[in-house]
Amino acid sequence: MRRVDDTMTGDVICYFDDGMAQRFDRRAVQEYGLPELLKSVGRSADIPAGRLDVMQSGRKVGTVPATFDPMHIKSTSFWYEPRGGDFKREGDVWIANRTLGPGDLEAVPGFVWDLK
């Protein structure tokens, strides 16, 4: 499955290996999360597994689950409030905005630091 975020509407479009595509409303993605929406349309087998790299300022800073969705972040810290543009997807990598500090990244559920 390949995910594309529509920059005009905020909708999420999923392109499946069998040639089919499915558009999900951004409000539904925010409310329920993409994995739940994929289950609701019978695409449980297409839910991504594993982890994706998170890059910031040109270097890898950590990883997030493959199901990570920046529209569905529930911060674990009252110091960090997620904003649009904090994360941008480029291929199989998430790009973290340079304004996000270490405490902000740690407040993202599922984020794991790359200790290299």
Side-chain angles (χ1 to χ4, degrees):
M1 178 189 84
R2 184 171 59 93
R3 171 194 169 137
V4 176
D5 294 346
D6 186 325
T7 56
M8 294 295 288
T9 63
D11 293 350
V12 175
I13 307 165
C14 296
Y15 295 95
F16 303 104
D17 295 337
D18 62 4
M20 300 298 287
Q22 178 73 49
R23 177 182 289 264
F24 296 104
D25 179 74
R26 75 174 165 80
R27 290 177 299 248
V29 174
Q30 288 172 333
E31 178 82 19
Y32 305 108
L34 188 57
E36 288 301 316
L37 294 174
L38 286 169
K39 287 178 192 175
S40 74
V41 296
R43 291 288 190 164
S44 296
D46 293 306
I47 296 173
R51 299 191 68 79
L52 297 176
D53 292 341
V54 176
M55 306 290 287
Q56 188 179 43
S57 300
R59 67 181 187 92
K60 181 180 172 185
V61 294
T63 63
V64 291
T67 56
F68 173 73
D69 190 340
M71 293 190 301
H72 200 62
I73 295 173
K74 300 222 185 321
S75 177
T76 60
S77 168
F78 67 92
W79 293 106
Y80 170 60
E81 180 67 32
R83 302 171 302 273
D86 281 352
F87 293 91
K88 184 174 78 171
R89 180 101 180 237
E90 290 185 5
D92 287 337
V93 174
W94 285 102
I95 307 297
N97 192 301
R98 64 178 180 77
T99 62
L100 293 175
D104 299 333
L105 292 171
E106 286 179 3
V108 174
F111 178 82
V112 176
W113 287 103
D114 183 31
L115 301 177
K116 293 180 185 177

